[in-house]
Amino acid sequence: MNGKRDMKITKLSWRNLWRNPTRTNVTILAVSLCIAVLIIFQSMIVGLIEKAKFTTTNLVIGEVQVHAEGYLDDRSIYKSLQNTEEIHLIAKENNIGLVERSYGFGLISSGTKSAGTQFWGINPESELQHFDFANHIDKGNFLTNTSLKKIVLGRKLASSIAADIGTELVVFVQGADGSLGNELFYVAGILKNMADNVDRGAAMILREDFDILFSANNLIHEIALNSKGRFESEEIQKLLSARTADVDVETWQQLMPTIALLTEKMSVFMRTFFSLIFGIAASLGVMNTMIMSTYDRMREFGIIRAIGTTPWRILKQVSLEAILLTTIASVIGVVVGLSVALYFQKYGFDVSGSGNMSFGGVVMDPIWRASVSVGIVFLPVVLMMLISIVASIYPASIAARIKPVEAIHYKP
Amino acid sequence: MIRLTIVTTCILFKIFLPNFAFASNLNPEKILDSVDDLYRSNTSYGILTLSVTTKNWQRTLTLEQWSKGEDRHLIKVLKPKKEKGLTTLRVDNNVWNYMPKVKRVVKIPSSMMASSWMGSHFTNDDLVKQSRMVKDYTFSVTYEGEREGKNIVEISCFPKKDAAVVWGKVDVIVYRDDYIPLSIIYYDEDLQLSRTLNFTNIQMMGGKKIPSQMIMIPVDEPGESTAIQWKKIQFDLTINDDFFSLRKLQQ
């Protein structure tokens, strides 16, 4: 019985909607455009944020890093990681990329110029496999597993000591046993600008060379893990924390809190801002249409009130018209918005024309892609639905509250 | 007239007040100079050991050193074998290290001046900043008399405004009789105790009465220290200026 009546109201609403097809079509167009633009914009913003995150983590930091307790506070060469087997095991079980790095401070000199640097003892093969920075070579080549006595420098460091490919560098460090190590190295490559600490201070050498230079026996100061987005950083952190002790396990968000905060704030701000603007625009459109159609039908409402229709039913009917209108607009908006967003997800667009796009000192790949998810489609549709219901309440309540006698004599 | 007399008296008092405070015949400037000149004369030559103790290792280096005036210094490692021949040259404010293994000279950049010299608790700056204390600090005698059974004089030095000094305050404590130092206490810019340099084993060496041992104790690294023990020291030899040159370093 009830269902049948609802069907009737729906049918009535549908018919009412098309009494003025131009007005309805224009409103549908406006609302569907709002939905489509919201879907495209949001997917682009999320795409940019994800890109910034990925650029940040995939370059060199990784999603999670493990250090000996308190290492990051003083970066002492003696605070090395012990018993790394469990960490290797966890990474292997979950197929997460893992690299080990050794760090030591020393002096590097070419000709009359010298500078204090941080030496990175690395394994080039695993760095290349799991991270991206090794591909960002400005000049020369990155290290290979056989490039003994070769060194790769950050760009600003290289220019500060006027080093070029093949330049002989004198390296002077204090070893882990207190002895003073000195060696000659030859520049194999110079990295592109990527992150300030790397640009200004990084001198990368093979782990084997590091051990000789620093009289060290396999000292590992950092393990960086990178699943390339397959896991959330917190998930990896949880996995590791559960099975390790006496180590600091930190996500990239904890390691780079300003960038993490910036991405989050930017995402929330941009999405709220655009949703608000388009939401208001759409709601005004819907409200205008409904008010217009309500005043058009004043006499009609008066007559049906006079023959016993309840105000509640009129309210329902007018609201339903708005909901129907938004539903049609949603379908069109989602189809259009999603297609465009998916296109940008697949092909992206090149923003390299405006110079290097960098984020927090990290240079990004210039192709900007959208990132589509259920939430991104769902949110504008739900938002528009709510907005159109709210926007229709005012005209609907005008219709519901009219006095039949006055309404019958109403001249638009 | 009376007012003028009062003013004059006050001015006179102000002028002579420092002298009233320590009416003894102490001359702090002379004391600081004698501390500065303790291990140097016109020229000096010596052999010493440098024993460094840290949380992670303990090692002793045997060094040979030459100096001329206040701003030329050459220090060469004799032992152990790994570092043999490693040489530090200081001329004025510049420090170079010669590395025998790779046969190269490296200049210590200004950014590394505050870092450790030869792995000890002395910094490269300590080598360089051996200029006259009286030039860089304002000073006054802050204690004179008996302390822990020794008759001492304590001079507190505060850096002059434009002096390139990292310390906030330096206390120099010497024996009252011969101005031989007992200890030099360094405070950081917040006037927190930073490190103590103690002098012991006073001996006649090279015709001078000097403490043959110095121990540097940093406050922030408990249990750590660097000890310098002079084995041999000679003063006023003839050393040419070009002995302290980069060319000489590479030979």
Side-chain angles (χ1 to χ4, degrees), chain A residues 218-253:
Chain A
N218 206 21
L219 291 178
I220 294 156
H221 300 105
E222 177 174 294
I223 290 184
L225 296 116
N226 187 13
S227 72
K228 305 211 180 210
R230 285 191 305 108
F231 286 91
E232 289 294 325
S233 53
E234 288 83 4
E235 289 179 273
I236 304 176
Q237 184 184 36
K238 219 176 260 171
L239 279 172
L240 290 166
S241 301
R243 283 163 61 179
T244 51
D246 305 327
V247 292
D248 289 337
V249 181
E250 282 159 305
T251 61
W252 73 268
Q253 288 96 331

Side-chain angles (χ1 to χ4, degrees), chain A residues 78 114 168 179-180 183, chain B residues 57 82-83 101 104 107:
Chain A
Y78 304 106
S114 45
E168 173 193 283
S179 69
L180 301 157
E183 300 282 347
Chain B
W57 44 265
K82 191 187 171 194
E83 283 101 339
K101 186 177 169 190
R104 296 290 188 285
K107 187 176 189 289

Side-chain angles (χ1 to χ4, degrees), chain A residues 251-263:
Chain A
T251 61
W252 73 268
Q253 288 96 331
Q254 291 166 318
L255 292 162
M256 311 192 80
T258 43
I259 290 191
L261 196 71
L262 198 65
T263 50

Side-chain angles (χ1 to χ4, degrees), chain A residues 78 106-107 109 112 114-116 168 170-172 174 176-184 215, chain B residues 56-57 59 61 82-83 86 97 99-102 104-109 111-112 116 118-119:
Chain A
Y78 304 106
L107 180 65
S109 157
T112 55
S114 45
E168 173 193 283
V170 185
V171 165
F172 182 51
Q174 180 166 31
D177 62 353
S179 69
L180 301 157
N182 55 86
E183 300 282 347
L184 282 181
S215 310
Chain B
N56 301 289
W57 44 265
R59 60 201 311 266
L61 283 85
K82 191 187 171 194
E83 283 101 339
L86 191 69
N97 279 339
M99 286 154 221
K101 186 177 169 190
V102 299
R104 296 290 188 285
V105 175
V106 169
K107 187 176 189 289
I108 306 292
S111 60
M112 300 270 287
S116 151
M118 295 271 176

Side-chain angles (χ1 to χ4, degrees), chain A residues 2-19:
Chain A
N2 223 337
K4 211 171 174 185
R5 196 195 283 163
D6 282 349
M7 270 299 288
K8 251 186 198 161
I9 298 176
T10 316
K11 218 168 174 180
L12 253 172
S13 300
W14 179 254
R15 277 196 199 148
N16 283 334
L17 214 50
W18 297 105
R19 286 162 106 190

Side-chain angles (χ1 to χ4, degrees), chain A residues 153-216:
Chain A
L153 300 174
R155 191 151 160 196
K156 284 173 187 154
L157 174 64
S159 75
S160 78
I161 58 167
D164 210 333
I165 306 304
T167 302
E168 173 193 283
L169 296 179
V170 185
V171 165
F172 182 51
V173 305
Q174 180 166 31
D177 62 353
S179 69
L180 301 157
N182 55 86
E183 300 282 347
L184 282 181
F185 278 84
Y186 297 89
V187 179
I190 293 166
L191 293 164
K192 285 184 187 166
N193 283 343
M194 48 179 72
D196 222 40
N197 65 328
V198 177
D199 298 347
R200 287 184 196 284
M204 301 181 182
I205 55 177
L206 290 186
R207 283 270 303 283
E208 292 88 323
D209 277 339
F210 185 93
D211 283 356
I212 296 168
L213 184 63
F214 283 91
S215 310

